[in-house]
Amino acid sequence: MAKPLKLDYRLRVDFSKVEKILDIPDLLKLNVDSFREFLNKNTKIEKNLDNALKSIFPIDDIHGRLRLEIVDWEIKHPRFSPDECKMKGL
């Protein structure tokens, strides 16, 4: 017999014959939360974007004359929406 399941804003139907043992995790929420932690500079976890950039930079050239360093980074909202970019040919 079909059992209705209410997950967030969707109503899903469960056709399983085995009783539910565990709740169904929201995998999208897990992924989004993990990505936000990765982008956050202030987290104390080792796997964030700031530490990833620090592990790569500074980059020196072969002769030792040039050096590329990351001083600071930030992520801003885009100036144009995807539709505006398509209209402008960007």
Side-chain angles (χ1 to χ4, degrees):
M1 181 171 162
K3 297 167 263 183
L5 283 172
K6 180 74 173 160
L7 294 174
D8 292 334
Y9 58 90
R10 293 184 180 151
L11 180 64
R12 297 185 181 204
V13 180
D14 182 15
F15 292 99
S16 65
K17 295 178 182 174
V18 179
E19 290 296 319
K20 182 173 75 167
I21 298 172
L22 296 173
D23 289 334
I24 299 171
D26 187 0
L27 298 178
L28 182 62
K29 183 179 182 304
L30 278 170
N31 202 0
V32 168
D33 291 345
S34 175
F35 186 68
R36 284 192 180 130
E37 273 188 25
F38 177 72
L39 292 180
N40 193 356
K41 288 184 184 182
N42 301 324
T43 56
K44 297 188 180 188
I45 59 172
E46 286 186 25
K47 295 181 180 180
N48 62 8
L49 183 59
D50 200 39
N51 289 337
L53 290 173
K54 285 179 183 176
S55 70
I56 297 170
F57 290 95
I59 299 173
D60 296 319
D61 74 336
I62 297 173
H63 304 291
R65 292 179 292 171
L66 300 173
R67 182 180 198 128
L68 180 63
E69 295 181 1
I70 293 279
V71 177
D72 193 24
W73 61 270
E74 64 181 302
I75 297 176
K76 297 181 180 180
H77 291 288
R79 280 202 278 171
F80 304 111
S81 70
D83 292 333
E84 289 173 329
C85 289
K86 288 178 188 175
M87 285 175 40
K88 295 180 179 188
L90 301 176

